[in-house]
Amino acid sequence: QKEVEQNSGPLSVPEGAIASLNCTYSDRGSQSFFWYRQYSGKSPELIMSIYSNGDKEDGRFTAQLNKASQYVSLLIRDSQPSDSATYLCAVTRTGGGNKLTFGTGTQLKVEL
Amino acid sequence: GAVVSQHPSWVICKSGTSVKIECRSLDFQATTMFWYRQFPKQSLMLMATSNEGSKATYEQGVEKDKFLINHASLTLSTLTVTSAHPEDSSFYICSAKDRDSNQPQHFGDGTRLSIL
């Protein structure tokens, strides 16, 4: 079982729709959760971080964390073509020395 | 904001060459830097954790004698790929953790390495 799992996609949504990206993790010692956006050929860019159960909103982005279900999601409202990228879920664990464990990423395509 | 500078951005060289990649934190001090490798259509895989003034900690399966890491100061870590071969061709990315902040790692722009 992979430590961090994501559906590789591609996930296609029309412009203006809500994109929903999901991630599950296996280590119950995971303490911090991050969503990164990576354009082709570029390094990851931090979109959202979430540390406690519930929702966290930042502009068009909402991260949701459910530690009991070991599940974290990212919602992108009013999706734009510029949101087309690969979204990487990453976690750190307690006592892990800030090491990030990445999922394989979900490719999002926002279509005109 | 915190900036991590990574150089070079791309390298093309012959098989057997050693290649050095630099990672600098420009406006913060980083006691810990991380080196990742990413093959096409795959996720980032942590290669090693670099701690200032001490030996790097390598992940399982990463050859420490092939991938030499030096973290001599609080703002600079280097990764040297020794005797590189075509299978070492990849996208190498560094990140740095601000010593004085609880913010997550800041990533460099990556180095695309192509070995002919």
Side-chain angles (χ1 to χ4, degrees), chain A:
Chain A
Q1 182 185 12
K2 293 180 181 177
E3 291 187 54
V4 181
E5 295 206 51
Q6 297 179 252
N7 187 317
S8 61
L11 172 66
S12 294
V13 300
E15 184 179 5
I18 296 175
S20 178
L21 304 164
N22 304 315
C23 170
T24 58
Y25 59 94
S26 61
D27 187 352
R28 285 196 175 276
S30 299
Q31 63 172 145
S32 302
F33 307 85
F34 307 93
W35 283 99
Y36 287 85
R37 177 175 63 198
Q38 186 176 28
Y39 293 112
S40 180
K42 303 294 185 182
S43 67
E45 171 190 9
L46 181 65
I47 298 297
M48 291 286 287
S49 57
I50 188 166
Y51 306 98
S52 57
N53 281 329
D55 295 359
K56 179 181 178 183
E57 185 174 321
D58 184 1
R60 296 186 295 112
F61 300 98
T62 299
Q64 300 173 317
L65 175 62
N66 184 323
K67 288 188 176 181
S69 300
Q70 296 177 240
Y71 173 91
V72 59
S73 66
L74 178 70
L75 299 177
I76 306 175
R77 289 181 298 281
D78 188 23
S79 296
Q80 301 296 308
S82 58
D83 294 327
S84 298
T86 296
Y87 288 80
L88 300 166
C89 173
V91 306
T92 63
R93 60 183 306 274
T94 305
N98 296 304
K99 284 170 52 173
L100 284 168
T101 300
F102 283 89
T104 52
T106 298
Q107 185 183 4
L108 173 66
K109 293 184 177 181
V110 181
E111 299 168 334
L112 294 171

Side-chain angles (χ1 to χ4, degrees), chain B residues 18-32:
Chain B
S18 292
V19 178
K20 180 184 282 189
I21 302 170
E22 291 189 350
C23 181
R24 294 180 183 272
S25 56
L26 297 185
D27 49 3
F28 64 95
Q29 294 186 323
T31 50
T32 304

Side-chain angles (χ1 to χ4, degrees), chain B residues 11-76:
Chain B
V11 180
I12 301 174
C13 57
K14 294 180 179 180
S15 183
T17 305
S18 292
V19 178
K20 180 184 282 189
I21 302 170
E22 291 189 350
C23 181
R24 294 180 183 272
S25 56
L26 297 185
D27 49 3
F28 64 95
Q29 294 186 323
T31 50
T32 304
M33 291 185 174
F34 303 88
W35 288 95
Y36 297 86
R37 179 168 55 181
Q38 186 177 35
F39 291 109
K41 298 196 181 300
Q42 296 187 25
S43 190
L44 277 76
M45 295 300 296
L46 180 66
M47 298 176 66
T49 302
S50 169
N51 296 297
E52 186 266 337
S54 64
K55 291 183 178 180
T57 302
Y58 291 81
E59 295 299 301
Q60 190 173 10
V62 178
E63 300 175 59
K64 63 180 181 180
D65 294 330
K66 181 169 185 64
F67 300 99
L68 301 179
I69 291 172
N70 183 280
H71 192 159
S73 77
L74 288 172
T75 60
L76 174 64

